[in-house]
Amino acid sequence: MFNRILVTLDGSEYAESAIRHAKDLGSAPGATVILVSVVEPRADASAEELERSERVITEYLAEQEAALRAGGVQNVSSTVVRGEAARSIAEVARDERCDVVIMSTLGLGAERGHSIGSIALRVLSTTPCPVLMIRIDQPAPAQDSAEARWQDEGGAHVG
Protein backbone atom coordinates (compact mmCIF):
# COMPACT_ATOMS: atom_id res chain seq x y z
CA MET A 1 0.00 0.00 0.00
CA PHE A 2 1.26 3.46 -0.86
CA ASN A 3 0.50 5.79 2.05
CA ARG A 4 2.91 8.64 1.29
CA ILE A 5 2.77 9.62 -2.38
CA LEU A 6 5.14 12.20 -3.85
CA VAL A 7 4.06 13.82 -7.11
CA THR A 8 6.50 15.90 -9.15
CA LEU A 9 5.08 18.88 -10.99
CA ASP A 10 6.76 21.49 -13.17
CA GLY A 11 3.68 23.42 -14.27
CA SER A 12 3.32 21.67 -17.61
CA GLU A 13 0.30 19.76 -18.86
CA TYR A 14 2.59 16.77 -19.28
CA ALA A 15 3.56 16.76 -15.62
CA GLU A 16 -0.07 17.15 -14.61
CA SER A 17 -0.83 13.76 -16.15
CA ALA A 18 0.57 12.34 -12.90
CA ILE A 19 -2.25 14.02 -10.95
CA ARG A 20 -4.85 11.49 -12.11
CA HIS A 21 -2.78 8.63 -10.72
CA ALA A 22 -2.09 10.53 -7.50
CA LYS A 23 -5.82 11.08 -7.09
CA ASP A 24 -6.48 7.35 -7.48
CA LEU A 25 -3.80 6.35 -4.96
CA GLY A 26 -4.33 9.33 -2.65
CA SER A 27 -8.05 8.65 -2.20
CA ALA A 28 -7.27 5.56 -0.10
CA PRO A 29 -7.85 5.89 3.65
CA GLY A 30 -4.72 7.16 5.41
CA ALA A 31 -2.97 8.21 2.21
CA THR A 32 -1.11 11.51 1.92
CA VAL A 33 -0.18 13.18 -1.36
CA ILE A 34 2.80 15.52 -1.37
CA LEU A 35 3.23 17.74 -4.41
CA VAL A 36 6.74 18.95 -5.15
CA SER A 37 8.11 21.42 -7.64
CA VAL A 38 11.79 22.21 -8.01
CA VAL A 39 13.23 25.61 -8.87
CA GLU A 40 16.59 25.12 -10.54
CA PRO A 41 18.47 28.38 -9.97
CA ARG A 42 20.33 29.74 -12.97
CA ALA A 43 23.73 31.23 -12.32
CA ASP A 44 22.52 34.63 -13.55
CA ALA A 45 19.21 34.60 -11.64
CA SER A 46 18.73 37.29 -9.03
CA ALA A 47 17.27 36.60 -5.61
CA GLU A 48 14.21 38.58 -6.68
CA GLU A 49 13.70 36.36 -9.76
CA LEU A 50 13.98 33.22 -7.64
CA GLU A 51 11.49 34.52 -5.11
CA ARG A 52 9.07 35.48 -7.88
CA SER A 53 9.39 31.99 -9.41
CA GLU A 54 8.78 30.38 -6.05
CA ARG A 55 5.67 32.55 -5.48
CA VAL A 56 4.21 31.59 -8.87
CA ILE A 57 4.95 27.91 -8.28
CA THR A 58 3.49 28.03 -4.76
CA GLU A 59 0.24 29.46 -6.16
CA TYR A 60 0.19 26.79 -8.88
CA LEU A 61 0.70 24.02 -6.31
CA ALA A 62 -2.10 25.45 -4.15
CA GLU A 63 -4.44 25.16 -7.15
CA GLN A 64 -3.39 21.55 -7.66
CA GLU A 65 -3.90 20.82 -3.96
CA ALA A 66 -7.43 22.25 -4.14
CA ALA A 67 -8.22 20.14 -7.22
CA LEU A 68 -7.02 16.99 -5.47
CA ARG A 69 -9.09 17.77 -2.38
CA ALA A 70 -12.13 18.36 -4.59
CA GLY A 71 -11.41 14.99 -6.18
CA GLY A 72 -11.54 13.15 -2.85
CA VAL A 73 -7.95 13.26 -1.59
CA GLN A 74 -8.14 14.30 2.06
CA ASN A 75 -4.47 14.74 2.93
CA VAL A 76 -2.52 16.92 0.50
CA SER A 77 0.47 19.17 1.00
CA SER A 78 3.01 20.79 -1.26
CA THR A 79 6.55 22.06 -1.22
CA VAL A 80 8.82 24.09 -3.45
CA VAL A 81 12.54 23.37 -3.26
CA ARG A 82 15.60 24.90 -4.87
CA GLY A 83 18.26 22.77 -6.47
CA GLU A 84 18.94 20.27 -9.21
CA ALA A 85 15.65 18.54 -10.08
CA ALA A 86 16.49 14.84 -9.73
CA ARG A 87 18.58 15.26 -6.59
CA SER A 88 15.95 17.49 -4.95
CA ILE A 89 13.12 15.07 -5.75
CA ALA A 90 15.11 12.18 -4.24
CA GLU A 91 15.85 14.23 -1.12
CA VAL A 92 12.19 15.15 -0.63
CA ALA A 93 11.17 11.50 -1.13
CA ARG A 94 13.72 10.45 1.48
CA ASP A 95 12.93 13.24 3.97
CA GLU A 96 9.16 12.73 3.68
CA ARG A 97 9.54 8.92 3.87
CA CYS A 98 7.53 8.49 0.69
CA ASP A 99 6.34 5.08 -0.44
CA VAL A 100 6.18 6.03 -4.13
CA VAL A 101 7.10 8.88 -6.46
CA ILE A 102 4.77 9.63 -9.37
CA MET A 103 6.16 11.61 -12.27
CA SER A 104 5.63 12.01 -15.97
CA THR A 105 8.33 11.62 -18.56
CA LEU A 106 8.50 12.72 -22.16
CA GLY A 107 11.27 10.23 -22.79
CA LEU A 108 13.65 12.90 -24.03
CA GLY A 109 16.51 10.71 -22.85
CA ALA A 110 15.68 8.39 -25.75
CA GLU A 111 18.03 10.47 -27.86
CA ARG A 112 20.82 9.19 -25.64
CA GLY A 113 19.74 5.54 -25.78
CA HIS A 114 17.34 5.57 -22.81
CA SER A 115 13.62 4.94 -23.11
CA ILE A 116 12.85 7.56 -20.45
CA GLY A 117 13.89 11.16 -19.89
CA SER A 118 17.17 12.05 -18.22
CA ILE A 119 15.60 13.57 -15.08
CA ALA A 120 13.25 10.60 -14.73
CA LEU A 121 16.19 8.21 -15.13
CA ARG A 122 18.18 10.00 -12.41
CA VAL A 123 15.14 10.03 -10.09
CA LEU A 124 14.67 6.31 -10.69
CA SER A 125 18.36 5.70 -9.93
CA THR A 126 18.53 7.76 -6.72
CA THR A 127 15.12 7.66 -5.07
CA PRO A 128 14.78 5.24 -2.14
CA CYS A 129 11.28 4.10 -3.14
CA PRO A 130 9.42 2.87 -6.23
CA VAL A 131 8.88 5.39 -9.01
CA LEU A 132 5.70 5.32 -11.09
CA MET A 133 6.53 6.96 -14.40
CA ILE A 134 3.71 8.19 -16.58
CA ARG A 135 4.98 8.02 -20.13
CA ILE A 136 3.91 10.93 -22.32
CA ASP A 137 3.98 10.12 -25.99
CA GLN A 138 4.11 12.98 -28.39
CA PRO A 139 2.96 12.33 -31.94
CA ALA A 140 5.49 12.52 -34.73
CA PRO A 141 5.19 15.65 -36.85
CA ALA A 142 2.27 15.49 -39.27
CA GLN A 143 3.24 14.45 -42.79
CA ASP A 144 0.36 16.33 -44.44
CA SER A 145 -2.53 18.66 -43.61
CA ALA A 146 -5.02 15.81 -43.13
CA GLU A 147 -2.79 14.17 -40.53
CA ALA A 148 -2.25 17.55 -38.84
CA ARG A 149 -6.04 17.97 -38.47
CA TRP A 150 -6.34 14.43 -37.17
CA GLN A 151 -3.65 15.08 -34.56
CA ASP A 152 -5.33 18.34 -33.55
CA GLU A 153 -8.51 16.35 -32.90
CA GLY A 154 -6.69 13.92 -30.58
CA GLY A 155 -5.22 11.38 -33.00
CA ALA A 156 -1.61 10.26 -33.06
CA HIS A 157 0.89 9.35 -35.72
CA VAL A 158 0.63 5.63 -36.43
CA GLY A 159 3.13 4.99 -39.14
Side-chain angles (χ1 to χ4, degrees), residues 1-147:
M1 180 66 153
F2 298 124
N3 291 318
R4 297 190 58 78
I5 303 152
L6 183 66
V7 181
T8 66
L9 295 172
D10 64 8
S12 70
E13 286 183 41
Y14 299 119
E16 289 175 13
S17 64
I19 293 286
R20 178 173 47 96
H21 300 280
K23 187 168 91 173
D24 291 343
L25 293 174
S27 296
T32 298
V33 173
I34 304 160
L35 306 177
V36 64
S37 191
V38 180
V39 175
E40 292 188 278
R42 297 182 332 266
D44 63 340
S46 69
E48 185 178 285
E49 288 174 309
L50 289 172
E51 289 173 13
R52 185 173 38 249
S53 292
E54 288 178 359
R55 253 192 329 275
V56 169
I57 292 168
T58 299
E59 291 171 12
Y60 164 75
L61 291 176
E63 292 170 7
Q64 297 303 317
E65 281 186 54
L68 281 167
R69 283 190 185 94
V73 178
Q74 293 180 7
N75 300 311
V76 186
S77 65
S78 63
T79 187
V80 178
V81 294
R82 285 187 193 179
E84 187 274 322
R87 181 179 303 128
S88 297
I89 292 165
E91 287 173 2
V92 172
R94 191 174 300 107
D95 293 347
E96 294 288 341
R97 300 180 189 265
C98 293
D99 300 310
V100 65
V101 173
I102 303 176
M103 66 185 304
S104 64
T105 178
L106 283 171
L108 297 178
E111 297 169 2
R112 295 185 212 133
H114 305 292
S115 61
I116 58 176
S118 60
I119 293 174
L121 183 61
R122 288 190 312 235
V123 169
L124 181 63
S125 300
T126 59
T127 301
C129 60
V131 179
L132 173 59
M133 293 188 191
I134 311 305
R135 171 82 176 162
I136 306 299
D137 290 317
Q138 291 183 313
Q143 296 177 10
D144 56 39
S145 61
E147 187 173 36

